[in-house]
Coordinates of all heavy atoms in Angstrom, one line a residue:
I1 N 0.9 -1.2 0.0 CA 0.0 0.0 0.0 C 0.8 1.2 0.0 O 1.9 1.3 0.8 CB -0.9 0.0 1.2 CG1 -1.8 -1.2 1.2 CG2 -1.7 1.3 1.3 CD1 -2.7 -1.3 2.4
G2 N 0.6 2.1 -0.9 CA 1.5 3.3 -0.9 C 1.4 4.0 -2.3 O 0.3 4.3 -2.9
A3 N 2.7 4.2 -2.8 CA 2.8 5.0 -4.1 C 2.1 4.4 -5.2 O 1.8 5.1 -6.3 CB 4.3 5.2 -4.3
D4 N 1.9 3.0 -5.3 CA 1.3 2.5 -6.4 C -0.2 2.5 -6.4 O -0.9 1.9 -7.3 CB 1.8 1.1 -6.6 CG 1.5 0.1 -5.5 OD1 1.2 0.7 -4.3 OD2 1.4 -1.0 -5.5
M5 N -0.8 3.2 -5.4 CA -2.3 3.3 -5.3 C -2.8 4.2 -6.3 O -2.2 5.3 -6.5 CB -2.8 3.6 -3.9 CG -2.4 2.4 -2.9 SD -2.7 2.9 -1.2 CE -4.5 3.1 -1.2
T6 N -4.1 4.0 -6.9 CA -4.7 5.0 -7.7 C -5.4 6.0 -6.8 O -5.6 5.9 -5.6 CB -5.8 4.3 -8.5 OG1 -6.8 3.9 -7.6 CG2 -5.3 3.1 -9.3
P7 N -5.8 7.2 -7.4 CA -6.4 8.1 -6.7 C -7.8 7.7 -6.0 O -8.1 8.1 -4.9 CB -6.8 9.3 -7.7 CG -5.6 9.2 -8.6 CD -5.4 7.7 -8.8
V8 N -8.5 6.8 -6.7 CA -9.7 6.3 -6.1 C -9.3 5.4 -5.0 O -10.1 5.5 -3.8 CB -10.5 5.4 -7.2 CG1 -11.6 4.7 -6.5 CG2 -11.0 6.3 -8.3
Q9 N -8.3 4.6 -5.0 CA -7.9 3.8 -3.9 C -7.5 4.7 -2.6 O -7.9 4.4 -1.5 CB -6.8 2.9 -4.3 CG -7.2 1.8 -5.3 CD -6.1 1.0 -5.9 OE1 -5.0 1.6 -6.1 NE2 -6.3 -0.3 -6.0
L10 N -6.7 5.7 -2.9 CA -6.3 6.5 -1.9 C -7.5 7.3 -1.1 O -7.6 7.3 0.1 CB -5.4 7.6 -2.4 CG -4.0 7.2 -2.7 CD1 -3.2 8.2 -3.6 CD2 -3.2 6.7 -1.6
E11 N -8.5 7.8 -2.0 CA -9.7 8.3 -1.6 C -10.5 7.4 -0.7 O -11.1 7.7 0.4 CB -10.6 9.0 -2.6 CG -10.1 10.3 -3.1 CD -10.0 11.3 -2.0 OE1 -11.0 11.4 -1.2 OE2 -9.1 12.1 -1.9
Y12 N -10.6 6.2 -1.2 CA -11.4 5.1 -0.5 C -10.9 4.9 0.9 O -11.6 4.9 1.8 CB -11.3 3.9 -1.4 CG -12.0 2.7 -0.8 CD1 -13.4 2.5 -1.1 CD2 -11.4 1.6 -0.1 CE1 -14.1 1.4 -0.5 CE2 -12.1 0.5 0.3 CZ -13.5 0.4 0.1 OH -14.1 -0.7 0.6
R13 N -9.6 4.7 1.0 CA -9.0 4.4 2.4 C -9.1 5.7 3.2 O -9.3 5.5 4.4 CB -7.6 4.0 2.1 CG -7.6 2.5 1.6 CD -6.3 2.0 1.4 NE -5.5 1.9 2.6 CZ -5.5 0.9 3.6 NH1 -6.3 0.0 3.5 NH2 -4.7 1.0 4.6
A14 N -8.9 6.8 2.6 CA -9.0 8.1 3.4 C -10.4 8.3 4.0 O -10.5 8.6 5.2 CB -8.5 9.3 2.6
K15 N -11.3 8.1 3.2 CA -12.7 8.3 3.5 C -13.2 7.2 4.6 O -13.8 7.5 5.6 CB -13.7 8.2 2.4 CG -13.6 9.5 1.5 CD -14.5 9.3 0.3 CE -14.2 10.3 -0.7 NZ -14.6 11.7 -0.3
L16 N -12.7 6.0 4.6 CA -13.0 4.9 5.5 C -12.3 5.3 6.8 O -13.0 5.2 7.9 CB -12.4 3.5 4.9 CG -13.2 2.9 3.9 CD1 -12.4 1.6 3.5 CD2 -14.6 2.6 4.4
T17 N -11.2 5.9 6.7 CA -10.5 6.3 8.0 C -11.3 7.3 8.8 O -11.5 7.4 10.0 CB -9.0 6.7 7.8 OG1 -8.3 5.8 7.1 CG2 -8.3 7.2 9.0
E18 N -11.8 8.3 7.9 CA -12.6 9.4 8.5 C -13.9 8.8 9.1 O -14.3 9.2 10.2 CB -12.9 10.4 7.4 CG -11.7 11.2 6.9 CD -12.0 12.2 5.9 OE1 -12.5 11.7 4.8 OE2 -11.9 13.4 6.2
L19 N -14.5 7.9 8.4 CA -15.7 7.3 9.0 C -15.5 6.5 10.4 O -16.3 6.5 11.2 CB -16.3 6.3 8.0 CG -17.1 6.9 6.8 CD1 -17.4 5.8 5.8 CD2 -18.2 7.7 7.4
I20 N -14.3 5.9 10.4 CA -14.0 5.1 11.6 C -14.0 6.1 12.8 O -14.4 5.6 13.9 CB -12.7 4.3 11.4 CG1 -12.8 3.3 10.4 CG2 -12.2 3.8 12.8 CD1 -11.5 2.8 9.9
Y21 N -13.5 7.3 12.6 CA -13.3 8.1 13.8 C -14.2 9.3 13.9 O -14.2 10.0 14.9 CB -11.8 8.6 13.7 CG -10.8 7.6 13.9 CD1 -10.1 7.0 12.8 CD2 -10.6 6.9 15.1 CE1 -9.2 6.0 12.9 CE2 -9.7 5.9 15.3 CZ -9.0 5.4 14.1 OH -8.1 4.4 14.3
Y22 N -15.0 9.6 13.0 CA -15.9 10.7 13.0 C -16.9 10.6 14.1 O -17.5 9.5 14.2 CB -16.5 11.0 11.6 CG -16.7 12.5 11.4 CD1 -15.5 13.2 10.9 CD2 -17.9 13.1 11.5 CE1 -15.8 14.6 10.6 CE2 -18.0 14.5 11.2 CZ -16.9 15.1 10.8 OH -17.0 16.5 10.6
P23 N -17.2 11.6 14.9 CA -18.1 11.5 16.0 C -19.6 11.5 15.7 O -20.4 11.1 16.6 CB -17.7 12.7 16.8 CG -17.3 13.8 15.9 CD -16.7 12.9 14.8
D24 N -20.0 11.6 14.5 CA -21.4 11.7 14.2 C -21.5 11.2 12.7 O -20.6 10.8 12.0 CB -22.1 13.0 14.5 CG -21.4 14.2 13.8 OD1 -20.9 14.0 12.6 OD2 -21.4 15.2 14.3
L25 N -22.8 11.4 12.1 CA -23.0 11.0 10.7 C -22.7 12.1 9.7 O -22.9 11.9 8.5 CB -24.5 10.6 10.6 CG -24.9 9.2 11.2 CD1 -26.4 9.0 11.2 CD2 -24.1 8.1 10.5
T26 N -22.2 13.2 10.1 CA -21.9 14.3 9.2 C -21.0 13.8 8.0 O -21.2 14.0 6.8 CB -21.2 15.5 9.9 OG1 -22.0 15.8 10.9 CG2 -20.9 16.6 8.9
M27 N -19.9 13.1 8.4 CA -18.9 12.5 7.3 C -19.7 11.4 6.3 O -19.5 11.6 5.1 CB -17.7 12.0 7.9 CG -16.8 11.3 6.9 SD -16.3 12.3 5.6 CE -15.4 13.6 6.4
F28 N -20.4 10.7 7.0 CA -21.1 9.7 6.2 C -22.2 10.3 5.2 O -22.2 10.0 4.1 CB -22.0 8.7 7.1 CG -22.8 7.8 6.3 CD1 -22.2 6.7 5.6 CD2 -24.1 8.0 6.1 CE1 -23.0 5.9 4.8 CE2 -24.9 7.2 5.4 CZ -24.4 6.1 4.7
R29 N -22.9 11.4 5.8 CA -23.9 12.1 4.9 C -23.2 12.8 3.8 O -23.6 12.7 2.6 CB -24.6 13.0 5.8 CG -25.7 13.6 4.9 CD -26.7 14.3 5.8 NE -27.9 14.5 5.1 CZ -29.1 14.9 5.8 NH1 -29.1 15.3 6.9 NH2 -30.2 14.9 5.0
S30 N -22.0 13.3 4.0 CA -21.3 13.9 2.8 C -20.8 12.9 1.8 O -20.9 13.0 0.6 CB -20.1 14.7 3.3 OG -19.0 13.9 3.7
I31 N -20.4 11.7 2.2 CA -20.2 10.5 1.4 C -21.4 10.1 0.6 O -21.4 9.9 -0.7 CB -19.6 9.4 2.1 CG1 -18.1 9.8 2.5 CG2 -19.5 8.2 1.4 CD1 -17.5 8.8 3.5
L32 N -22.5 10.0 1.3 CA -23.7 9.6 0.6 C -24.2 10.6 -0.5 O -24.5 10.3 -1.6 CB -24.9 9.6 1.7 CG -26.3 9.2 1.1 CD1 -26.4 7.8 0.7 CD2 -27.3 9.4 2.3
N33 N -24.0 11.9 -0.2 CA -24.3 13.0 -1.1 C -23.4 13.1 -2.3 O -23.8 13.5 -3.4 CB -24.4 14.4 -0.4 CG -25.6 14.4 0.5 OD1 -26.6 13.8 0.5 ND2 -25.4 15.3 1.5
E34 N -22.1 12.7 -2.1 CA -21.1 12.8 -3.1 C -21.0 11.5 -4.0 O -20.7 11.6 -5.1 CB -19.8 13.0 -2.4 CG -18.6 13.2 -3.4 CD -17.4 13.3 -2.7 OE1 -17.0 12.4 -1.9 OE2 -16.7 14.3 -3.0
A35 N -21.6 10.4 -3.5 CA -21.4 9.2 -4.2 C -22.0 9.2 -5.7 O -23.1 9.6 -5.8 CB -22.1 8.1 -3.4
N36 N -21.2 8.7 -6.5 CA -21.6 8.7 -8.0 C -20.7 7.6 -8.6 O -19.5 7.7 -8.6 CB -21.4 10.0 -8.6 CG -22.0 10.1 -10.0 OD1 -21.9 9.1 -10.8 ND2 -22.6 11.2 -10.4
E37 N -21.4 6.6 -9.3 CA -20.7 5.5 -10.0 C -20.4 5.8 -11.4 O -19.9 5.0 -12.1 CB -21.4 4.2 -9.7 CG -22.8 4.2 -10.4 CD -23.5 2.8 -10.2 OE1 -22.9 1.8 -10.4 OE2 -24.6 2.9 -9.8
S38 N -20.9 7.0 -12.0 CA -20.9 7.2 -13.4 C -19.5 7.3 -14.0 O -19.3 7.1 -15.2 CB -21.8 8.3 -13.8 OG -21.3 9.5 -13.3
D39 N -18.5 7.8 -13.2 CA -17.2 8.0 -13.8 C -16.2 7.4 -12.9 O -15.8 8.0 -11.8 CB -17.0 9.6 -14.0 CG -15.6 9.9 -14.6 OD1 -14.8 8.9 -14.9 OD2 -15.4 11.2 -14.8
K40 N -15.6 6.3 -13.1 CA -14.6 5.6 -12.3 C -13.3 6.5 -12.2 O -12.5 6.2 -11.3 CB -14.4 4.2 -12.8 CG -15.5 3.3 -12.7 CD -15.2 2.0 -13.2 CE -16.3 0.9 -13.0 NZ -16.0 -0.4 -13.3
T41 N -13.1 7.5 -13.0 CA -11.9 8.2 -12.9 C -12.0 9.4 -12.0 O -11.1 10.0 -11.7 CB -11.3 8.6 -14.3 OG1 -12.4 9.5 -14.9 CG2 -11.2 7.5 -15.2
N42 N -13.2 9.8 -11.6 CA -13.4 10.9 -10.8 C -13.4 10.3 -9.3 O -14.3 9.8 -8.8 CB -14.8 11.5 -11.1 CG -15.0 12.9 -10.5 OD1 -14.2 13.3 -9.7 ND2 -16.0 13.5 -10.9
S43 N -12.1 10.5 -8.7 CA -11.9 9.7 -7.5 C -12.8 10.0 -6.4 O -13.1 9.0 -5.7 CB -10.4 10.1 -7.1 OG -10.2 11.4 -6.9
H44 N -13.0 11.3 -6.1 CA -14.0 11.6 -4.9 C -15.3 10.9 -4.9 O -15.7 10.1 -4.1 CB -14.0 13.0 -4.6 CG -12.7 13.6 -3.9 ND1 -12.6 13.7 -2.8 CD2 -11.7 14.2 -4.6 CE1 -11.3 14.2 -2.5 NE2 -10.8 14.5 -3.7
P45 N -16.1 11.2 -6.0 CA -17.4 10.6 -6.1 C -17.4 9.1 -6.2 O -18.2 8.3 -5.7 CB -18.2 11.3 -7.1 CG -17.1 12.1 -7.9 CD -15.9 12.2 -7.0
Y46 N -16.4 8.5 -7.0 CA -16.5 7.1 -7.2 C -16.0 6.4 -5.9 O -16.6 5.4 -5.6 CB -15.5 6.6 -8.3 CG -15.7 5.3 -8.7 CD1 -17.0 4.9 -9.2 CD2 -14.8 4.4 -8.6 CE1 -17.2 3.6 -9.5 CE2 -15.0 3.0 -8.8 CZ -16.2 2.6 -9.3 OH -16.4 1.3 -9.6
A47 N -15.1 6.9 -5.2 CA -14.7 6.3 -3.9 C -15.9 6.3 -2.9 O -16.1 5.4 -2.1 CB -13.5 7.0 -3.3
S48 N -16.6 7.4 -3.0 CA -17.8 7.5 -2.1 C -18.8 6.5 -2.5 O -19.4 5.9 -1.6 CB -18.4 9.0 -2.2 OG -17.5 9.9 -1.5
Y49 N -19.0 6.3 -3.8 CA -19.9 5.3 -4.3 C -19.5 3.9 -3.7 O -20.4 3.1 -3.3 CB -20.1 5.3 -5.8 CG -20.7 4.0 -6.3 CD1 -22.1 3.7 -6.0 CD2 -19.8 3.0 -6.8 CE1 -22.6 2.6 -6.5 CE2 -20.4 1.8 -7.3 CZ -21.6 1.5 -7.1 OH -22.2 0.3 -7.4
L50 N -18.2 3.6 -4.0 CA -17.7 2.3 -3.5 C -18.0 2.1 -1.9 O -18.4 1.0 -1.5 CB -16.3 2.1 -3.8 CG -15.9 1.9 -5.2 CD1 -14.4 1.9 -5.4 CD2 -16.5 0.8 -5.8
I51 N -17.7 3.1 -1.1 CA -17.9 3.0 0.3 C -19.5 2.8 0.5 O -19.8 2.0 1.4 CB -17.4 4.3 1.0 CG1 -15.9 4.2 0.9 CG2 -17.9 4.4 2.3 CD1 -15.2 5.6 1.4
L52 N -20.3 3.7 -0.1 CA -21.7 3.5 0.1 C -22.2 2.1 -0.2 O -22.9 1.4 0.5 CB -22.5 4.5 -0.7 CG -24.0 4.5 -0.6 CD1 -24.5 4.7 0.9 CD2 -24.6 5.4 -1.4
R53 N -21.7 1.5 -1.4 CA -22.1 0.2 -1.8 C -21.7 -0.8 -0.8 O -22.5 -1.7 -0.4 CB -21.5 -0.1 -3.2 CG -21.9 -1.5 -3.7 CD -20.9 -1.9 -4.8 NE -19.6 -2.1 -4.3 CZ -18.5 -2.3 -5.0 NH1 -18.6 -2.2 -6.3 NH2 -17.4 -2.6 -4.5
N54 N -20.4 -0.7 -0.3 CA -19.9 -1.7 0.5 C -20.5 -1.6 2.0 O -20.7 -2.6 2.6 CB -18.3 -1.7 0.6 CG -17.8 -2.0 -0.7 OD1 -18.3 -2.7 -1.7 ND2 -16.5 -1.4 -0.9
L55 N -20.7 -0.4 2.4 CA -21.4 -0.3 3.7 C -22.8 -0.8 3.6 O -23.3 -1.4 4.6 CB -21.3 1.3 4.2 CG -20.0 1.7 4.6 CD1 -20.1 3.2 4.9 CD2 -19.5 1.0 5.8
S56 N -23.5 -0.5 2.6 CA -24.9 -1.0 2.4 C -24.9 -2.5 2.5 O -25.8 -3.1 3.2 CB -25.5 -0.5 1.0 OG -25.6 0.9 1.0
G57 N -24.0 -3.1 1.8 CA -23.9 -4.5 1.9 C -23.7 -5.1 3.3 O -24.3 -6.0 3.8
A58 N -22.8 -4.4 4.0 CA -22.4 -4.8 5.4 C -23.5 -4.6 6.4 O -23.7 -5.3 7.2 CB -21.1 -4.1 5.8
V59 N -24.1 -3.4 6.3 CA -25.1 -3.0 7.2 C -26.5 -3.5 6.9 O -27.3 -4.0 7.8 CB -25.2 -1.4 7.4 CG1 -26.3 -0.9 8.3 CG2 -23.9 -0.9 7.9
F60 N -26.9 -3.5 5.7 CA -28.3 -3.9 5.3 C -28.3 -5.3 4.5 O -29.4 -5.7 4.2 CB -29.0 -2.8 4.4 CG -29.0 -1.5 5.1 CD1 -28.2 -0.5 4.9 CD2 -30.1 -1.3 6.1 CE1 -28.4 0.8 5.5 CE2 -30.1 -0.1 6.8 CZ -29.4 1.0 6.5
G61 N -27.1 -5.7 4.1 CA -27.1 -7.0 3.4 C -27.7 -6.9 2.0 O -28.1 -7.9 1.4
G62 N -27.6 -5.7 1.3 CA -28.1 -5.5 0.0 C -27.4 -4.5 -0.8 O -26.3 -4.0 -0.5
A63 N -28.1 -4.0 -1.8 CA -27.5 -3.1 -2.7 C -27.4 -1.7 -2.1 O -27.9 -1.5 -1.0 CB -28.4 -3.0 -4.0
C64 N -27.0 -0.7 -2.8 CA -26.8 0.6 -2.4 C -28.0 1.2 -1.7 O -29.1 1.1 -2.2 CB -26.3 1.6 -3.4 SG -24.6 1.7 -3.6
E65 N -27.9 1.6 -0.5 CA -29.0 2.3 0.2 C -28.8 3.8 0.3 O -27.9 4.3 0.9 CB -29.1 1.8 1.7 CG -30.2 2.3 2.5 CD -31.6 2.3 1.8 OE1 -32.1 1.2 1.6 OE2 -32.1 3.3 1.3
W66 N -29.5 4.5 -0.6 CA -29.4 5.9 -0.9 C -30.3 6.7 0.1 O -30.0 8.0 0.2 CB -29.7 6.3 -2.3 CG -28.8 5.5 -3.3 CD1 -29.0 4.5 -3.9 CD2 -27.6 6.1 -3.7 NE1 -28.0 4.1 -4.8 CE2 -27.1 5.2 -4.7 CE3 -26.9 7.3 -3.6 CZ2 -25.9 5.3 -5.3 CZ3 -25.7 7.4 -4.2 CH2 -25.2 6.5 -5.1
N67 N -31.1 6.1 0.8 CA -32.0 6.9 1.7 C -31.3 7.1 3.1 O -31.2 6.2 3.8 CB -33.3 6.0 1.9 CG -34.4 6.9 2.8 OD1 -34.1 7.8 3.4 ND2 -35.6 6.3 2.8
Y68 N -31.0 8.4 3.3 CA -30.2 8.8 4.5 C -31.0 8.3 5.8 O -30.4 8.0 6.9 CB -29.9 10.3 4.5 CG -29.2 10.8 5.8 CD1 -28.0 10.4 6.1 CD2 -30.0 11.4 6.7 CE1 -27.3 10.8 7.3 CE2 -29.4 11.9 7.9 CZ -28.0 11.5 8.2 OH -27.5 12.0 9.3
R69 N -32.3 8.4 5.7 CA -33.1 8.1 7.0 C -32.9 6.7 7.4 O -33.0 6.4 8.6 CB -34.6 8.4 6.7 CG -34.9 9.9 6.6 CD -36.4 10.1 6.3 NE -36.6 11.5 6.0 CZ -37.6 11.9 5.4 NH1 -38.5 11.1 4.9 NH2 -37.7 13.1 5.1
K70 N -32.6 5.8 6.5 CA -32.5 4.4 6.8 C -31.1 4.3 7.6 O -30.9 3.2 8.3 CB -32.5 3.5 5.7 CG -33.9 3.4 5.2 CD -34.1 2.4 4.1 CE -35.5 2.3 3.6 NZ -35.7 1.4 2.6
W71 N -30.1 5.2 7.4 CA -28.8 5.1 8.1 C -28.8 5.8 9.4 O -28.0 5.5 10.2 CB -27.8 5.8 7.2 CG -27.5 5.1 6.0 CD1 -28.1 5.3 4.7 CD2 -26.6 4.0 5.8 NE1 -27.5 4.5 3.8 CE2 -26.6 3.7 4.4 CE3 -25.7 3.3 6.6 CZ2 -25.8 2.6 3.9 CZ3 -25.0 2.3 6.1 CH2 -25.0 2.0 4.7
Y72 N -30.0 6.5 9.8 CA -29.9 7.2 11.0 C -29.9 6.3 12.2 O -30.6 5.3 12.2 CB -31.2 8.2 11.1 CG -31.1 9.1 12.3 CD1 -30.3 10.2 12.3 CD2 -31.8 8.7 13.4 CE1 -30.2 11.0 13.3 CE2 -31.7 9.6 14.5 CZ -30.9 10.7 14.5 OH -30.9 11.5 15.6
G73 N -29.0 6.5 13.1 CA -28.9 5.6 14.3 C -27.9 4.4 14.0 O -27.8 3.6 15.0
K74 N -27.3 4.4 12.9 CA -26.5 3.3 12.5 C -24.9 3.6 12.7 O -24.1 2.8 12.1 CB -26.8 2.8 11.1 CG -28.2 2.4 10.9 CD -28.4 0.9 10.8 CE -29.8 0.5 10.4 NZ -30.8 0.5 11.5
L75 N -24.6 4.7 13.4 CA -23.2 5.0 13.4 C -22.3 4.0 13.9 O -21.3 3.7 13.3 CB -23.0 6.4 14.2 CG -21.6 6.8 14.3 CD1 -21.1 7.2 12.9 CD2 -21.5 8.1 15.2
P76 N -22.7 3.2 15.0 CA -21.8 2.2 15.4 C -21.6 1.1 14.4 O -20.5 0.5 14.2 CB -22.6 1.6 16.6 CG -23.4 2.6 17.2 CD -23.8 3.5 15.9
L77 N -22.6 0.8 13.6 CA -22.5 -0.3 12.5 C -21.7 0.3 11.4 O -20.9 -0.5 10.8 CB -23.9 -0.6 12.0 CG -24.8 -1.4 13.0 CD1 -26.2 -1.6 12.5 CD2 -24.1 -2.7 13.4
I78 N -21.8 1.6 11.1 CA -21.1 2.2 10.0 C -19.6 2.2 10.3 O -18.7 1.8 9.5 CB -21.5 3.6 9.7 CG1 -22.9 3.6 9.1 CG2 -20.5 4.3 8.9 CD1 -23.6 5.0 9.2
R79 N -19.3 2.6 11.6 CA -17.8 2.5 12.1 C -17.2 1.1 12.1 O -16.1 1.0 11.6 CB -17.8 3.1 13.5 CG -17.9 4.6 13.6 CD -17.7 5.0 15.1 NE -17.5 6.4 15.2 CZ -17.8 7.1 16.3 NH1 -18.1 6.4 17.3 NH2 -17.6 8.3 16.3
E80 N -18.0 0.2 12.6 CA -17.5 -1.2 12.5 C -17.2 -1.7 11.2 O -16.2 -2.3 10.8 CB -18.5 -2.1 13.3 CG -18.2 -3.6 13.4 CD -19.3 -4.3 14.1 OE1 -19.7 -4.0 15.1 OE2 -19.7 -5.3 13.4
A81 N -18.2 -1.4 10.1 CA -18.0 -1.9 8.9 C -16.9 -1.2 8.2 O -16.2 -1.7 7.4 CB -19.4 -1.7 8.1
A82 N -16.7 0.1 8.4 CA -15.7 0.9 7.8 C -14.3 0.3 8.2 O -13.4 0.2 7.4 CB -15.8 2.4 8.2
L83 N -14.2 0.0 9.5 CA -12.9 -0.6 10.0 C -12.7 -1.9 9.3 O -11.7 -2.2 8.9 CB -13.0 -0.8 11.5 CG -11.8 -1.4 12.1 CD1 -10.4 -0.6 11.8 CD2 -12.0 -1.6 13.7
R84 N -13.7 -2.7 9.2 CA -13.6 -4.1 8.5 C -13.2 -3.9 7.1 O -12.3 -4.5 6.5 CB -14.9 -4.8 8.7 CG -14.7 -6.3 8.2 CD -16.0 -7.1 8.6 NE -17.1 -6.7 8.1 CZ -18.1 -6.1 8.8 NH1 -18.0 -6.0 10.2 NH2 -19.3 -5.6 8.3
L85 N -13.8 -2.9 6.4 CA -13.5 -2.7 5.0 C -12.0 -2.1 4.8 O -11.3 -2.5 3.9 CB -14.5 -1.6 4.4 CG -15.9 -2.2 4.1 CD1 -16.8 -1.0 3.7 CD2 -15.9 -3.3 3.1
F86 N -11.7 -1.2 5.7 CA -10.3 -0.7 5.7 C -9.3 -1.9 5.8 O -8.3 -2.0 5.1 CB -10.1 0.3 6.8 CG -8.8 0.9 6.8 CD1 -8.6 2.0 6.0 CD2 -7.7 0.4 7.6 CE1 -7.3 2.7 6.0 CE2 -6.5 1.1 7.5 CZ -6.2 2.2 6.8
N87 N -9.6 -2.8 6.8 CA -8.6 -3.9 7.0 C -8.6 -5.0 5.9 O -7.7 -5.7 5.8 CB -8.9 -4.6 8.4 CG -8.6 -3.8 9.5 OD1 -7.6 -2.9 9.4 ND2 -9.3 -3.7 10.6
E88 N -9.8 -5.0 5.2 CA -9.9 -6.0 4.1 C -9.4 -5.5 2.8 O -9.5 -6.2 1.8 CB -11.3 -6.6 4.0 CG -11.8 -7.3 5.2 CD -13.3 -7.6 5.2 OE1 -14.0 -7.1 4.3 OE2 -13.7 -8.4 6.0
Y89 N -9.0 -4.2 2.8 CA -8.6 -3.6 1.6 C -7.5 -4.4 0.9 O -6.7 -5.0 1.6 CB -8.0 -2.2 1.8 CG -7.4 -1.6 0.6 CD1 -8.1 -0.9 -0.3 CD2 -6.0 -1.7 0.3 CE1 -7.6 -0.3 -1.4 CE2 -5.5 -1.2 -0.9 CZ -6.2 -0.5 -1.7 OH -5.8 0.0 -2.8
P90 N -7.5 -4.7 -0.5 CA -8.4 -4.1 -1.5 C -9.6 -5.0 -2.0 O -10.1 -4.8 -3.0 CB -7.4 -4.0 -2.7 CG -6.5 -5.1 -2.6 CD -6.4 -5.4 -1.1
D91 N -10.0 -5.8 -1.1 CA -11.0 -6.9 -1.5 C -12.3 -6.3 -2.0 O -13.0 -6.9 -2.9 CB -11.3 -7.8 -0.3 CG -10.3 -8.6 0.2 OD1 -9.3 -8.7 -0.5 OD2 -10.4 -9.2 1.3
H92 N -12.7 -5.1 -1.7 CA -14.0 -4.5 -2.1 C -14.0 -3.4 -3.0 O -14.8 -2.5 -3.1 CB -14.8 -4.1 -0.9 CG -15.0 -5.3 0.1 ND1 -15.8 -6.3 0.0 CD2 -14.3 -5.6 1.3 CE1 -15.6 -7.2 1.0 NE2 -14.8 -6.7 1.7
M93 N -12.9 -3.2 -3.8 CA -12.7 -2.2 -4.6 C -13.4 -2.3 -6.0 O -13.7 -1.3 -6.6 CB -11.2 -2.0 -5.0 CG -10.4 -1.4 -3.8 SD -11.0 0.2 -3.1 CE -10.7 1.2 -4.6
E94 N -13.8 -3.4 -6.4 CA -14.6 -3.5 -7.7 C -15.9 -4.2 -7.5 O -16.1 -4.8 -6.6 CB -13.7 -4.3 -8.7 CG -12.6 -3.5 -9.3 CD -12.9 -2.2 -9.9 OE1 -14.0 -2.1 -10.6 OE2 -12.3 -1.2 -9.7

């Protein structure tokens, strides 16, 4: 892990780190709002999409959950899943 990482990979890991330590859902909400899978070369929105997709699978057991209200109250689960995704990198990048 290091210099050979793509911008999307760097963003993915940075955003997961922020989610692990952020004290509330503010960071998660910005990831949810930014997430976009349409351009894999646009590192910030695509990394946010990958995180949303992977967290949705971990927390809800399904596809991307775009409804913020369903995430409310799930901060402990988000943190736990973010840590697991960070430690399992790069397993969930595609």
Side-chain angles (χ1 to χ4, degrees):
I1 298 174
D4 60 338
M5 293 174 67
T6 68
V8 171
Q9 292 169 323
L10 289 169
E11 278 303 315
Y12 179 83
R13 289 183 54 88
K15 289 174 188 298
L16 286 174
T17 301
E18 290 176 301
L19 283 174
I20 292 164
Y21 295 105
Y22 216 78
D24 57 35
L25 285 174
T26 305
M27 174 55 63
F28 174 78
R29 191 166 199 169
S30 72
I31 288 171
L32 177 70
N33 290 335
E34 179 182 58
N36 188 322
E37 66 178 309
S38 65
D39 183 359
K40 292 182 178 185
T41 64
N42 196 346
S43 61
H44 285 272
Y46 191 67
S48 291
Y49 162 73
L50 291 174
I51 289 171
L52 179 61
R53 182 197 69 191
N54 295 338
L55 288 177
S56 294
V59 173
F60 297 106
C64 273
E65 180 53 67
W66 296 92
N67 184 345
Y68 176 72
R69 290 183 188 154
K70 291 187 178 179
W71 291 96
Y72 191 77
K74 304 250 188 285
L75 182 60
L77 294 174
I78 291 168
R79 284 182 168 162
E80 179 183 308
L83 179 59
R84 190 170 55 251
L85 291 169
F86 184 88
N87 289 330
E88 293 172 355
Y89 174 85
D91 293 352
H92 306 283
M93 289 300 298
E94 288 302 322

